[in-house]
Amino acid sequence: MLKWLLTQNNRPFAKASGALLTLLKVIIEVQRGCTTTTRGYKLELEPDMNGTAIENFVCVIFNVSFMNCTWHVGRTATEDTQYFLYWRPPKKKDITECQNYIKDDYGRHTGCRFQNVITGNWYAYFLVNGSRSGQNVEPYDTTIMLYEIEKLTPPLNVSVNCTEASHRCSIWWQPPRTSTKKKSNCFKYEIVIESKADAEKNSKTASKTEAIIENNFYLYESFSSGKRYSVKIRATDAGFCSVSSNWGEWSTPVEFGMNGSAIENFSCVIYNIFLMNCTWQAGRDAPADTQYFLYWQKSGEDNQMECELYIKDENRRNMGCIFQNVSIGIEKAYFLVNGSSKDSLIQFYDEYIDLYKIEKLMPPSNITVNCDEIKNDCIIQWQQPQISHSNKDLCFKYEINIKYKDNPKGKAIYTSILEGGNSNTFVRPNIRKKYVLKMRAAGSACLVNPAWGQWSTPVEFGNEEIMSSSVWILLGVAVVTPLMAIITFFFCKRWIAHYAAFQCKYTCLCTKEYPLSLKCQTQTSQNNAPISLKLGGVTGFFLIMDIPVLAGMNGSAIENFSCVIYNIFLMNCTWQAGRDAPADTQYFLYWQKSGEDNQMECELYIKDENRRNMGCIFQNVSIGIEKAYFLVNGSSKDSLIQFYDEYIDLYEIEILTAPLNVTANCARDSAGCIITWHPPRTSKVKKAKCFQYEINIQNKDEPKEEKKLPQIEYVDLLSKSHTEEITRIEE
């Protein structure tokens, strides 16, 4: 048997279609064995090449636009045989050679990789020829319908939503991607749902549900919250479009189930205008290696964002998240927390939240008190709290609380709640007393949180009471008072001159206490850390002198400082920059518990868009009866910055977690339901009688109708749980 080959310069030439090769063969047969050369092309008769052509030629299109073609070398091909692939894409005239060959151990071409391939209802032409030791080998050519060799990608965005009460799970997905746009009815799907065996619960059986469906939704009706499941889906041609009839790739299994693994006590709070914290607790049955991830999305937006700054517990497990630059509007936001574990499937938790309802309102700003010295009247003025989504005074109500300065923990002598407005008149009961005022705000109308916000920084006003005559008598009998005054004056003056670089908290205060202590900070100390300075050897009688010291730029200290403890052991402190602080001012927070010597700087600052420290996150905070001391100082290139300090009772700033293990048991033959619960968790041991509770009950079908029970005190039960019997709400 003889074959004719077309060559150019002794290399097999393939820039010709199958039709052209057929025509050439006809010409050669007519010439009956002649060898001829025309325009550089040589037609020659070769001896038998049987077995040298490639075998098992296969092409597959995958991942939408990539194509691989592979083959086996001919059974009689030698090690020096080399193959070359040419193809003509649909709707193109030119035949091109492969640019990215796949090679075997001998360097022979055994395949080719193509990119940017477009499928459709048309054929592509392929030709593989070769050579060995300068001789030609038998060619191979074929035509292929491209859509028939496409390996469909998996269906996209598989999601599962299960309802425990109905034992149903709704499963959705989107069609696979293809290089040409396809209608959704072009595909049918195979779905496989598996119930996993659980070694921890001695469940060794597993079940499988399989179905073929022609839409992108499936309702699974055998869900049990105590089991673990996985679902996977693949696609093929539904018979209506130019789609491969072969089954595509399986989707990555989506896991769901395992009751008790989802997070608990999820809550979010927006504070300091644009910051938001979300916290949660690990599921009570979640494995020790469970890690959680938070995503959120505003209604009407397509982008879903993962948390960028997680709050972690001592085991490095994500237990919360901090968001910055949060804007509040009328829309709800969607939150989803899912999880992963090496050996178990973790349930997800999701919730829709009205952002304005979780905002912790800032205190009213610019509070001033001006008193008429002739009359007893004091005019209190303020401006509405800063929020990101409303600027109307009528949206707020205000609470005013006034106490005597010398009795800050006593009962308030004046309280008032005002609807709107920005001023109020207070009549002083004693013009020779000094008073302390604080205010807070809540939403009264508009889309503003109706819960009371943060208290303002205390504002002092009024006059100190005149010193009693007994004090003058005691001072008068002290004959050495003038001498001690002179000595103390020169001592303090010399000390202030020596430490002129320091910014002191108080004017020089010399007392008979030993030693004299002044708390100061310096612009030159490392990290701007506070420095405690002590003066020894000062004794004598009580004397106060106002000696000018370096106090810093007025209005540069922080404002609206507040702290909150949440989720048992986490604490956030936030503030606003001083209204007259230079643009380059940077602040630093230090805190110290009473009775402890160590003063700690914040390790995790919250920053604004200008990278200025505007808050701090503390972890593993323990609460006791002692006060904690907080100090925020600052630095600027060209100015001295005032500091701010405050003593705070930590237990007063704690936001309690929700009561635990809430259950409701209703008897069919009774109109009453028994509700039981356990106290909330705290970092310190608390007796059950330390708490009071508020119960809120809604009709599930009519959420606007609400039965709000009065606050109840602790009910002492033998089980040490809490209970309340209510009359069932009739439908």
Side-chain angles (χ1 to χ4, degrees), residues 336-360:
L336 182 143
V337 182
N338 57 24
S340 64
S341 172
K342 181 179 179 182
D343 302 315
S344 302
L345 305 174
I346 306 301
Q347 288 177 312
F348 69 86
Y349 173 92
D350 63 343
E351 183 178 355
Y352 284 91
I353 296 177
D354 285 305
L355 294 184
Y356 75 88
K357 291 182 178 180
I358 62 172
E359 182 176 18
K360 184 75 170 176

PDB file of all heavy atoms in Angstrom, residues 336-360:
ATOM      1  N   LEU A 336     -24.445  37.216  58.527  1.00  0.00           N
ATOM      2  CA  LEU A 336     -24.330  35.759  58.476  1.00  0.00           C
ATOM      3  C   LEU A 336     -23.008  35.344  59.117  1.00  0.00           C
ATOM      4  O   LEU A 336     -21.961  35.894  58.777  1.00  0.00           O
ATOM      5  CB  LEU A 336     -24.411  35.241  57.036  1.00  0.00           C
ATOM      6  CG  LEU A 336     -24.347  33.714  56.861  1.00  0.00           C
ATOM      7  CD1 LEU A 336     -25.268  33.268  55.724  1.00  0.00           C
ATOM      8  CD2 LEU A 336     -22.923  33.230  56.571  1.00  0.00           C
ATOM      9  N   VAL A 337     -23.080  34.406  60.044  1.00  0.00           N
ATOM     10  CA  VAL A 337     -21.881  33.852  60.675  1.00  0.00           C
ATOM     11  C   VAL A 337     -21.876  32.348  60.411  1.00  0.00           C
ATOM     12  O   VAL A 337     -22.770  31.632  60.868  1.00  0.00           O
ATOM     13  CB  VAL A 337     -21.848  34.109  62.195  1.00  0.00           C
ATOM     14  CG1 VAL A 337     -20.560  33.549  62.787  1.00  0.00           C
ATOM     15  CG2 VAL A 337     -21.957  35.592  62.485  1.00  0.00           C
ATOM     16  N   ASN A 338     -20.912  31.891  59.637  1.00  0.00           N
ATOM     17  CA  ASN A 338     -20.765  30.459  59.427  1.00  0.00           C
ATOM     18  C   ASN A 338     -19.477  29.991  60.102  1.00  0.00           C
ATOM     19  O   ASN A 338     -18.752  30.774  60.706  1.00  0.00           O
ATOM     20  CB  ASN A 338     -20.800  30.091  57.940  1.00  0.00           C
ATOM     21  CG  ASN A 338     -19.745  30.819  57.132  1.00  0.00           C
ATOM     22  OD1 ASN A 338     -18.727  31.241  57.671  1.00  0.00           O
ATOM     23  ND2 ASN A 338     -19.974  30.968  55.841  1.00  0.00           N
ATOM     24  N   GLY A 339     -19.204  28.711  60.003  1.00  0.00           N
ATOM     25  CA  GLY A 339     -18.040  28.179  60.709  1.00  0.00           C
ATOM     26  C   GLY A 339     -17.460  26.970  60.023  1.00  0.00           C
ATOM     27  O   GLY A 339     -18.045  26.404  59.097  1.00  0.00           O
ATOM     28  N   SER A 340     -16.293  26.576  60.485  1.00  0.00           N
ATOM     29  CA  SER A 340     -15.622  25.403  59.934  1.00  0.00           C
ATOM     30  C   SER A 340     -14.929  24.657  61.064  1.00  0.00           C
ATOM     31  O   SER A 340     -14.506  25.241  62.058  1.00  0.00           O
ATOM     32  CB  SER A 340     -14.600  25.802  58.861  1.00  0.00           C
ATOM     33  OG  SER A 340     -13.563  26.585  59.428  1.00  0.00           O
ATOM     34  N   SER A 341     -14.846  23.355  60.896  1.00  0.00           N
ATOM     35  CA  SER A 341     -14.166  22.490  61.844  1.00  0.00           C
ATOM     36  C   SER A 341     -13.549  21.349  61.063  1.00  0.00           C
ATOM     37  O   SER A 341     -14.044  20.967  59.996  1.00  0.00           O
ATOM     38  CB  SER A 341     -15.150  21.961  62.891  1.00  0.00           C
ATOM     39  OG  SER A 341     -14.537  20.983  63.709  1.00  0.00           O
ATOM     40  N   LYS A 342     -12.480  20.811  61.580  1.00  0.00           N
ATOM     41  CA  LYS A 342     -11.770  19.756  60.867  1.00  0.00           C
ATOM     42  C   LYS A 342     -12.618  18.504  60.703  1.00  0.00           C
ATOM     43  O   LYS A 342     -12.601  17.857  59.651  1.00  0.00           O
ATOM     44  CB  LYS A 342     -10.471  19.424  61.609  1.00  0.00           C
ATOM     45  CG  LYS A 342      -9.628  18.345  60.940  1.00  0.00           C
ATOM     46  CD  LYS A 342      -8.352  18.084  61.726  1.00  0.00           C
ATOM     47  CE  LYS A 342      -7.515  16.997  61.068  1.00  0.00           C
ATOM     48  NZ  LYS A 342      -6.285  16.702  61.849  1.00  0.00           N
ATOM     49  N   ASP A 343     -13.390  18.168  61.723  1.00  0.00           N
ATOM     50  CA  ASP A 343     -14.092  16.890  61.721  1.00  0.00           C
ATOM     51  C   ASP A 343     -15.603  16.998  61.742  1.00  0.00           C
ATOM     52  O   ASP A 343     -16.299  15.979  61.663  1.00  0.00           O
ATOM     53  CB  ASP A 343     -13.658  16.051  62.937  1.00  0.00           C
ATOM     54  CG  ASP A 343     -12.157  15.809  62.957  1.00  0.00           C
ATOM     55  OD1 ASP A 343     -11.612  15.479  61.883  1.00  0.00           O
ATOM     56  OD2 ASP A 343     -11.540  15.959  64.021  1.00  0.00           O
ATOM     57  N   SER A 344     -16.163  18.203  61.862  1.00  0.00           N
ATOM     58  CA  SER A 344     -17.607  18.339  62.027  1.00  0.00           C
ATOM     59  C   SER A 344     -18.147  19.411  61.096  1.00  0.00           C
ATOM     60  O   SER A 344     -17.423  20.296  60.643  1.00  0.00           O
ATOM     61  CB  SER A 344     -17.957  18.695  63.476  1.00  0.00           C
ATOM     62  OG  SER A 344     -17.478  17.720  64.368  1.00  0.00           O
ATOM     63  N   LEU A 345     -19.449  19.340  60.835  1.00  0.00           N
ATOM     64  CA  LEU A 345     -20.138  20.342  60.048  1.00  0.00           C
ATOM     65  C   LEU A 345     -20.748  21.369  60.992  1.00  0.00           C
ATOM     66  O   LEU A 345     -21.355  21.024  61.995  1.00  0.00           O
ATOM     67  CB  LEU A 345     -21.234  19.688  59.209  1.00  0.00           C
ATOM     68  CG  LEU A 345     -20.763  18.552  58.297  1.00  0.00           C
ATOM     69  CD1 LEU A 345     -21.936  17.882  57.638  1.00  0.00           C
ATOM     70  CD2 LEU A 345     -19.807  19.093  57.245  1.00  0.00           C
ATOM     71  N   ILE A 346     -20.616  22.627  60.663  1.00  0.00           N
ATOM     72  CA  ILE A 346     -21.034  23.705  61.554  1.00  0.00           C
ATOM     73  C   ILE A 346     -22.249  24.427  60.962  1.00  0.00           C
ATOM     74  O   ILE A 346     -22.235  24.817  59.791  1.00  0.00           O
ATOM     75  CB  ILE A 346     -19.887  24.707  61.782  1.00  0.00           C
ATOM     76  CG1 ILE A 346     -18.631  23.959  62.274  1.00  0.00           C
ATOM     77  CG2 ILE A 346     -20.304  25.780  62.769  1.00  0.00           C
ATOM     78  CD1 ILE A 346     -18.818  23.185  63.546  1.00  0.00           C
ATOM     79  N   GLN A 347     -23.281  24.570  61.758  1.00  0.00           N
ATOM     80  CA  GLN A 347     -24.445  25.323  61.326  1.00  0.00           C
ATOM     81  C   GLN A 347     -24.107  26.811  61.196  1.00  0.00           C
ATOM     82  O   GLN A 347     -23.212  27.308  61.869  1.00  0.00           O
ATOM     83  CB  GLN A 347     -25.584  25.184  62.344  1.00  0.00           C
ATOM     84  CG  GLN A 347     -26.248  23.823  62.362  1.00  0.00           C
ATOM     85  CD  GLN A 347     -27.312  23.749  63.437  1.00  0.00           C
ATOM     86  OE1 GLN A 347     -27.061  24.135  64.565  1.00  0.00           O
ATOM     87  NE2 GLN A 347     -28.486  23.271  63.096  1.00  0.00           N
ATOM     88  N   PHE A 348     -24.847  27.496  60.327  1.00  0.00           N
ATOM     89  CA  PHE A 348     -24.656  28.938  60.222  1.00  0.00           C
ATOM     90  C   PHE A 348     -25.753  29.658  61.008  1.00  0.00           C
ATOM     91  O   PHE A 348     -26.780  29.089  61.370  1.00  0.00           O
ATOM     92  CB  PHE A 348     -24.655  29.400  58.763  1.00  0.00           C
ATOM     93  CG  PHE A 348     -25.994  29.292  58.072  1.00  0.00           C
ATOM     94  CD1 PHE A 348     -26.923  30.311  58.165  1.00  0.00           C
ATOM     95  CD2 PHE A 348     -26.316  28.164  57.330  1.00  0.00           C
ATOM     96  CE1 PHE A 348     -28.147  30.215  57.538  1.00  0.00           C
ATOM     97  CE2 PHE A 348     -27.546  28.054  56.699  1.00  0.00           C
ATOM     98  CZ  PHE A 348     -28.466  29.089  56.800  1.00  0.00           C
ATOM     99  N   TYR A 349     -25.508  30.932  61.271  1.00  0.00           N
ATOM    100  CA  TYR A 349     -26.488  31.799  61.929  1.00  0.00           C
ATOM    101  C   TYR A 349     -26.647  33.038  61.072  1.00  0.00           C
ATOM    102  O   TYR A 349     -25.662  33.610  60.600  1.00  0.00           O
ATOM    103  CB  TYR A 349     -26.006  32.189  63.325  1.00  0.00           C
ATOM    104  CG  TYR A 349     -26.880  33.219  64.005  1.00  0.00           C
ATOM    105  CD1 TYR A 349     -27.922  32.825  64.828  1.00  0.00           C
ATOM    106  CD2 TYR A 349     -26.665  34.582  63.804  1.00  0.00           C
ATOM    107  CE1 TYR A 349     -28.739  33.772  65.443  1.00  0.00           C
ATOM    108  CE2 TYR A 349     -27.480  35.530  64.410  1.00  0.00           C
ATOM    109  CZ  TYR A 349     -28.510  35.119  65.231  1.00  0.00           C
ATOM    110  OH  TYR A 349     -29.312  36.049  65.830  1.00  0.00           O
ATOM    111  N   ASP A 350     -27.892  33.465  60.835  1.00  0.00           N
ATOM    112  CA  ASP A 350     -28.088  34.703  60.086  1.00  0.00           C
ATOM    113  C   ASP A 350     -29.223  35.503  60.698  1.00  0.00           C
ATOM    114  O   ASP A 350     -30.091  34.967  61.399  1.00  0.00           O
ATOM    115  CB  ASP A 350     -28.338  34.438  58.601  1.00  0.00           C
ATOM    116  CG  ASP A 350     -29.621  33.652  58.344  1.00  0.00           C
ATOM    117  OD1 ASP A 350     -30.146  33.041  59.300  1.00  0.00           O
ATOM    118  OD2 ASP A 350     -30.094  33.643  57.192  1.00  0.00           O
ATOM    119  N   GLU A 351     -29.207  36.809  60.428  1.00  0.00           N
ATOM    120  CA  GLU A 351     -30.197  37.705  61.021  1.00  0.00           C
ATOM    121  C   GLU A 351     -30.240  39.005  60.229  1.00  0.00           C
ATOM    122  O   GLU A 351     -29.215  39.485  59.732  1.00  0.00           O
ATOM    123  CB  GLU A 351     -29.839  38.004  62.484  1.00  0.00           C
ATOM    124  CG  GLU A 351     -30.853  38.867  63.208  1.00  0.00           C
ATOM    125  CD  GLU A 351     -30.490  39.098  64.663  1.00  0.00           C
ATOM    126  OE1 GLU A 351     -29.490  38.499  65.135  1.00  0.00           O
ATOM    127  OE2 GLU A 351     -31.196  39.879  65.333  1.00  0.00           O
ATOM    128  N   TYR A 352     -31.448  39.552  60.093  1.00  0.00           N
ATOM    129  CA  TYR A 352     -31.630  40.889  59.530  1.00  0.00           C
ATOM    130  C   TYR A 352     -31.787  41.882  60.680  1.00  0.00           C
ATOM    131  O   TYR A 352     -32.545  41.635  61.623  1.00  0.00           O
ATOM    132  CB  TYR A 352     -32.858  40.944  58.620  1.00  0.00           C
ATOM    133  CG  TYR A 352     -32.652  40.304  57.273  1.00  0.00           C
ATOM    134  CD1 TYR A 352     -32.952  38.965  57.061  1.00  0.00           C
ATOM    135  CD2 TYR A 352     -32.150  41.043  56.202  1.00  0.00           C
ATOM    136  CE1 TYR A 352     -32.768  38.368  55.823  1.00  0.00           C
ATOM    137  CE2 TYR A 352     -31.959  40.460  54.966  1.00  0.00           C
ATOM    138  CZ  TYR A 352     -32.276  39.121  54.779  1.00  0.00           C
ATOM    139  OH  TYR A 352     -32.081  38.543  53.552  1.00  0.00           O
ATOM    140  N   ILE A 353     -31.087  43.023  60.603  1.00  0.00           N
ATOM    141  CA  ILE A 353     -31.082  43.993  61.700  1.00  0.00           C
ATOM    142  C   ILE A 353     -31.286  45.399  61.144  1.00  0.00           C
ATOM    143  O   ILE A 353     -30.660  45.787  60.146  1.00  0.00           O
ATOM    144  CB  ILE A 353     -29.747  43.936  62.479  1.00  0.00           C
ATOM    145  CG1 ILE A 353     -29.577  42.560  63.147  1.00  0.00           C
ATOM    146  CG2 ILE A 353     -29.683  45.038  63.532  1.00  0.00           C
ATOM    147  CD1 ILE A 353     -28.258  42.408  63.881  1.00  0.00           C
ATOM    148  N   ASP A 354     -32.184  46.168  61.791  1.00  0.00           N
ATOM    149  CA  ASP A 354     -32.293  47.604  61.519  1.00  0.00           C
ATOM    150  C   ASP A 354     -31.134  48.305  62.219  1.00  0.00           C
ATOM    151  O   ASP A 354     -31.060  48.319  63.454  1.00  0.00           O
ATOM    152  CB  ASP A 354     -33.623  48.148  62.040  1.00  0.00           C
ATOM    153  CG  ASP A 354     -34.799  47.745  61.171  1.00  0.00           C
ATOM    154  OD1 ASP A 354     -34.739  48.015  59.967  1.00  0.00           O
ATOM    155  OD2 ASP A 354     -35.761  47.153  61.699  1.00  0.00           O
ATOM    156  N   LEU A 355     -30.244  48.892  61.449  1.00  0.00           N
ATOM    157  CA  LEU A 355     -29.027  49.458  62.038  1.00  0.00           C
ATOM    158  C   LEU A 355     -29.319  50.571  63.027  1.00  0.00           C
ATOM    159  O   LEU A 355     -28.627  50.706  64.043  1.00  0.00           O
ATOM    160  CB  LEU A 355     -28.099  49.952  60.927  1.00  0.00           C
ATOM    161  CG  LEU A 355     -27.503  48.877  60.012  1.00  0.00           C
ATOM    162  CD1 LEU A 355     -26.528  49.512  59.023  1.00  0.00           C
ATOM    163  CD2 LEU A 355     -26.813  47.791  60.804  1.00  0.00           C
ATOM    164  N   TYR A 356     -30.339  51.385  62.762  1.00  0.00           N
ATOM    165  CA  TYR A 356     -30.579  52.511  63.670  1.00  0.00           C
ATOM    166  C   TYR A 356     -31.020  52.018  65.053  1.00  0.00           C
ATOM    167  O   TYR A 356     -30.852  52.729  66.049  1.00  0.00           O
ATOM    168  CB  TYR A 356     -31.616  53.463  63.079  1.00  0.00           C
ATOM    169  CG  TYR A 356     -33.051  52.977  63.145  1.00  0.00           C
ATOM    170  CD1 TYR A 356     -33.839  53.248  64.262  1.00  0.00           C
ATOM    171  CD2 TYR A 356     -33.622  52.263  62.096  1.00  0.00           C
ATOM    172  CE1 TYR A 356     -35.155  52.815  64.332  1.00  0.00           C
ATOM    173  CE2 TYR A 356     -34.928  51.830  62.158  1.00  0.00           C
ATOM    174  CZ  TYR A 356     -35.690  52.110  63.270  1.00  0.00           C
ATOM    175  OH  TYR A 356     -36.993  51.664  63.333  1.00  0.00           O
ATOM    176  N   LYS A 357     -31.565  50.800  65.142  1.00  0.00           N
ATOM    177  CA  LYS A 357     -32.035  50.274  66.419  1.00  0.00           C
ATOM    178  C   LYS A 357     -30.890  49.803  67.312  1.00  0.00           C
ATOM    179  O   LYS A 357     -31.092  49.594  68.504  1.00  0.00           O
ATOM    180  CB  LYS A 357     -33.006  49.117  66.195  1.00  0.00           C
ATOM    181  CG  LYS A 357     -34.339  49.537  65.601  1.00  0.00           C
ATOM    182  CD  LYS A 357     -35.273  48.345  65.463  1.00  0.00           C
ATOM    183  CE  LYS A 357     -36.627  48.766  64.916  1.00  0.00           C
ATOM    184  NZ  LYS A 357     -37.553  47.617  64.768  1.00  0.00           N
ATOM    185  N   ILE A 358     -29.707  49.622  66.748  1.00  0.00           N
ATOM    186  CA  ILE A 358     -28.584  49.121  67.557  1.00  0.00           C
ATOM    187  C   ILE A 358     -27.552  50.218  67.820  1.00  0.00           C
ATOM    188  O   ILE A 358     -26.478  49.937  68.345  1.00  0.00           O
ATOM    189  CB  ILE A 358     -27.906  47.921  66.879  1.00  0.00           C
ATOM    190  CG1 ILE A 358     -27.310  48.313  65.517  1.00  0.00           C
ATOM    191  CG2 ILE A 358     -28.861  46.755  66.733  1.00  0.00           C
ATOM    192  CD1 ILE A 358     -26.454  47.240  64.886  1.00  0.00           C
ATOM    193  N   GLU A 359     -27.886  51.453  67.471  1.00  0.00           N
ATOM    194  CA  GLU A 359     -26.932  52.539  67.692  1.00  0.00           C
ATOM    195  C   GLU A 359     -26.958  52.977  69.151  1.00  0.00           C
ATOM    196  O   GLU A 359     -28.020  53.231  69.719  1.00  0.00           O
ATOM    197  CB  GLU A 359     -27.231  53.733  66.795  1.00  0.00           C
ATOM    198  CG  GLU A 359     -26.227  54.867  66.962  1.00  0.00           C
ATOM    199  CD  GLU A 359     -26.459  56.023  66.021  1.00  0.00           C
ATOM    200  OE1 GLU A 359     -27.578  56.122  65.478  1.00  0.00           O
ATOM    201  OE2 GLU A 359     -25.542  56.830  65.830  1.00  0.00           O
ATOM    202  N   LYS A 360     -25.806  53.058  69.778  1.00  0.00           N
ATOM    203  CA  LYS A 360     -25.648  53.616  71.117  1.00  0.00           C
ATOM    204  C   LYS A 360     -25.396  55.102  70.946  1.00  0.00           C
ATOM    205  O   LYS A 360     -24.314  55.518  70.506  1.00  0.00           O
ATOM    206  CB  LYS A 360     -24.476  52.948  71.836  1.00  0.00           C
ATOM    207  CG  LYS A 360     -24.291  53.395  73.282  1.00  0.00           C
ATOM    208  CD  LYS A 360     -25.320  52.798  74.201  1.00  0.00           C
ATOM    209  CE  LYS A 360     -24.980  53.062  75.651  1.00  0.00           C
ATOM    210  NZ  LYS A 360     -26.024  52.567  76.578  1.00  0.00           N
TER     211      LYS A 360
END
